[in-house]
Amino acid sequence: MPTHQIEIHYCKQCRWLLRAAWMAQELLTTFDEEITTLTLKPGTGGIFEVRVNSTLIWSRADEGRFPDIKELKQRVRDQVAPEKDLGHSERS
Amino acid sequence: MPTHQIEIHYCKQCRWLLRAAWMAQELLTTFDEEITTLTLKPGTGGIFEVRVNSTLIWSRADEGRFPDIKELKQRVRDQVAPEKDLGHSERS
């Protein structure tokens, strides 16, 4: 069984803990067979980055916004289970 | 600034993600200066264990129950900031 580690690095000054923890729960629910650990990492200065096994898959600085949960799940899926169909969230 | 890593190992079969994520947010709020990472780790078989820098501070198997959030914070405090006063939650 593959092992995948996800990290959500968020800005605590910006009070982004709640959205980081929400996304964490969404990912741990959708990918509960694929994820071995999900790490929440408080940071500063407006940071919001998501990594899968150290690969950066979302950076607020680069994208200029937060991910929609559907696109975040697609990017995680592409790393941890490329063949996995995300069901309804893929077809809307 | 000291660096502390917390891990919450929870049973996904028992659907304990939500309470694990809730406790994670409580700890990241109370100890936002002391915690560098908080890792959620899905497991099986009824596991619910909390570690601070690999030191086991709560085990559902040992205690026979989940921690009250006040006692969990006190145990974390004793590891990461022994001099820290937890305010109201200490005096009730």
Side-chain angles (χ1 to χ4, degrees):
Chain A
M1 217 259 307
T3 61
H4 298 284
Q5 300 189 314
I6 296 190
E7 180 190 82
I8 302 178
H9 193 182
Y10 65 92
C11 176
K12 62 183 179 185
Q13 297 166 321
C14 313
R15 299 184 187 286
W16 287 345
L17 165 59
L18 296 186
R19 70 190 70 185
W22 165 57
M23 291 182 192
Q25 292 173 79
E26 287 273 355
L27 295 177
L28 283 164
T29 300
T30 299
F31 300 102
D32 74 333
E33 289 306 322
E34 292 88 358
I35 297 177
T36 43
T37 61
L38 192 140
T39 296
L40 292 167
K41 183 177 178 179
T44 56
I47 194 162
F48 196 88
E49 294 180 347
V50 183
R51 287 181 170 73
V52 177
N53 306 323
S54 309
T55 302
L56 183 65
I57 62 159
W58 191 276
S59 159
R60 183 173 174 272
D62 297 347
E63 310 275 354
R65 63 183 174 84
F66 287 94
D68 170 78
I69 195 67
K70 183 175 90 172
E71 60 190 337
L72 183 62
K73 287 183 179 181
Q74 288 168 339
R75 294 199 185 180
V76 170
R77 182 268 318 273
D78 294 348
Q79 299 284 325
V80 307
E83 75 302 333
K84 186 176 183 125
D85 176 3
L86 292 180
H88 298 302
S89 76
E90 292 255 58
R91 282 184 282 281
S92 61
Chain B
M1 215 249 322
T3 62
H4 298 284
Q5 302 190 315
I6 295 190
E7 180 189 84
I8 301 179
H9 193 181
Y10 64 92
C11 175
K12 61 183 180 185
Q13 297 166 323
C14 312
R15 299 186 187 285
W16 287 345
L17 165 61
L18 296 186
R19 69 190 73 186
W22 165 57
M23 290 183 194
Q25 292 172 79
E26 286 274 354
L27 295 177
L28 283 164
T29 300
T30 299
F31 301 102
D32 76 332
E33 289 306 321
E34 292 88 358
I35 296 176
T36 43
T37 60
L38 191 140
T39 296
L40 292 166
K41 183 177 177 180
T44 56
I47 194 162
F48 196 88
E49 295 180 347
V50 183
R51 285 181 171 74
V52 178
N53 305 325
S54 309
T55 303
L56 182 65
I57 63 159
W58 190 277
S59 160
R60 182 173 173 272
D62 297 347
E63 310 275 355
R65 62 182 174 86
F66 288 94
D68 169 79
I69 196 67
K70 182 175 90 171
E71 62 191 336
L72 184 62
K73 287 183 179 181
Q74 287 168 339
R75 293 197 185 181
V76 170
R77 183 267 319 275
D78 293 347
Q79 299 283 326
V80 309
E83 75 301 334
K84 185 176 181 123
D85 176 2
L86 292 180
H88 299 301
S89 76
E90 294 255 57
R91 282 185 280 283
S92 61

